[in-house]
């Protein structure tokens, strides 16, 4: 299911289970490594197009399973974050990075203002529009909403191994993150940490601020180490683990007066 009528916008966003009645609204900004033909592959090597630099492996699959189990809507980008990172504002250099970790992106070097605007208009704007439309529709229907953004991260970054397995990230509103972290003892085999391997200072909470804080919604960003979601069975098992953290957190928020109170 796609959000818009125009061809460029159809390429940019996928909306799953639009009418889902769960309080959870899922976003997956880095769901795909697809590079539309008009960008000529960004000059990337084949191995770089398949790497974590181009997308978040496993994130969409985990989000889809959560969507099905919870009856939750999901908004996912269908364009590589190397074309445009939907978790960054247009003015950020990292929205269209010339380099991602060790990966050079030739097609992003020396972009003109018009080229940057075209990507913002055809990739970022449709994603944000789909999320905003769902938030408004749910509010108009009297549905409570919490925002959950799904990501994965590489186990080795600039040559350094990362021990954290699940990151629970937040910006100014930590209600949902606090409640999920309180449930973390239910996953004793996992290393679960707050604002790791990234945090607000790294600029990764843009979606939380635009789609969560701006609408008064409780919100959280989930980061999963991608070596834990390499097969369909692992993806489904990880989705169930995320629900082990999320379900009691939702119940705790409801007991406190509602997730968007």
């Amino acid at each position: 299911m796609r959000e818009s009528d125009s061809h460029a916008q159809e390429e940019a966003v996928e909306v799953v289970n639009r009418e889902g009645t769960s309080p959870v609204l899922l976003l997956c900004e880095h769901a795909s490594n697809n590079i539309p033909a008009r960008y000529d592959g960004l000059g990337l090597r084949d191995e770089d197009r398949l790497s974590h630099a181009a997308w978040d492996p496993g994130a969409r699959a985990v989000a889809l399973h959560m969507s099905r189990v919870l009856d939750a809507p999901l908004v996912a980008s269908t364009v590589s974050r190397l074309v445009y990172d939907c978790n960054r504002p247009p003015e950020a250099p990292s929205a269209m990075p010339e380099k991602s970790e060790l990966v050079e992106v030739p097609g992003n070097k020396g972009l003109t203002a018009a080229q940057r605007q075209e990507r913002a208009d055809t990739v970022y704007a449709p994603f944000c529009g789909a999320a905003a439309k769902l938030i408004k529709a749910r509010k108009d229907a009297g549905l409570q909403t919490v925002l959950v953004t799904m990501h994965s991260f590489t186990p080795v970054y600039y040559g350094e191994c990362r021990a954290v397995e699940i990151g629970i990230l937040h910006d100014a509103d930590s209600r949902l993150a606090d409640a999920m972290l309180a449930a973390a003892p239910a996953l004793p085999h996992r290393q679960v940490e707050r604002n790791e391997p990234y945090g607000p200072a790294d600029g990764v909470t843009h979606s939380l601020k635009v789609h969560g804080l701006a609408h008064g919604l409780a919100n959280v960003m989930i980061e999963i180490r991608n070596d834990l979601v390499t097969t369909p069975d692992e993806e489904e098992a990880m989705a169930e683990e995320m629900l082990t953290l999320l379900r009691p957190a939702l119940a705790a928020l409801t007991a406190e007066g509602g997730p968007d109170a």
Side-chain angles (χ1 to χ4, degrees), residues 57-58 62 225-235 238:
V62 172
R225 206 174 67 197
N226 67 29
D227 61 331
L228 304 176
V229 285
T230 62
T231 68
D233 286 347
E234 289 179 347
E235 291 161 349
M238 183 58 70

Side-chain angles (χ1 to χ4, degrees), residues 108-248:
N108 286 352
K109 294 185 184 297
L111 292 176
T112 66
Q115 288 172 319
R116 293 181 67 88
Q117 189 63 52
E118 185 273 337
R119 296 194 195 183
D121 289 344
T122 62
V123 181
Y124 177 67
F127 179 86
C128 290
K133 187 175 180 180
L134 268 174
I135 290 168
K136 183 180 185 303
R138 292 172 62 83
K139 182 178 180 180
D140 291 346
L143 294 173
Q144 292 183 322
T145 300
V146 302
L147 186 75
V148 178
T149 73
M150 299 300 303
H151 296 258
S152 71
F153 65 94
T154 179
V156 179
Y157 190 64
Y158 284 105
E160 296 291 328
C161 293
R162 290 159 155 173
V164 59
E165 294 177 307
I166 298 169
I168 304 298
L169 283 60
H170 63 84
D171 200 276
D173 181 353
S174 68
R175 289 176 293 164
L176 187 52
D178 291 344
M180 291 181 69
L181 289 162
L187 301 177
H189 58 298
R190 294 294 183 210
Q191 184 161 338
V192 183
E193 297 184 17
R194 181 191 300 269
N195 282 337
E196 292 290 347
Y198 313 103
D202 301 302
V204 300
T205 57
H206 175 68
S207 285
L208 298 186
K209 291 188 284 188
V210 170
H211 305 298
L213 292 175
H215 295 280
L217 307 179
N219 58 86
V220 72
M221 177 177 175
I222 298 175
E223 284 273 8
I224 300 164
R225 206 174 67 197
N226 67 29
D227 61 331
L228 304 176
V229 285
T230 62
T231 68
D233 286 347
E234 289 179 347
E235 291 161 349
E236 183 171 342
M238 183 58 70
E240 290 296 330
E241 291 188 13
M242 296 305 94
L243 295 174
T244 297
L245 301 182
L246 187 56
R247 284 187 173 117

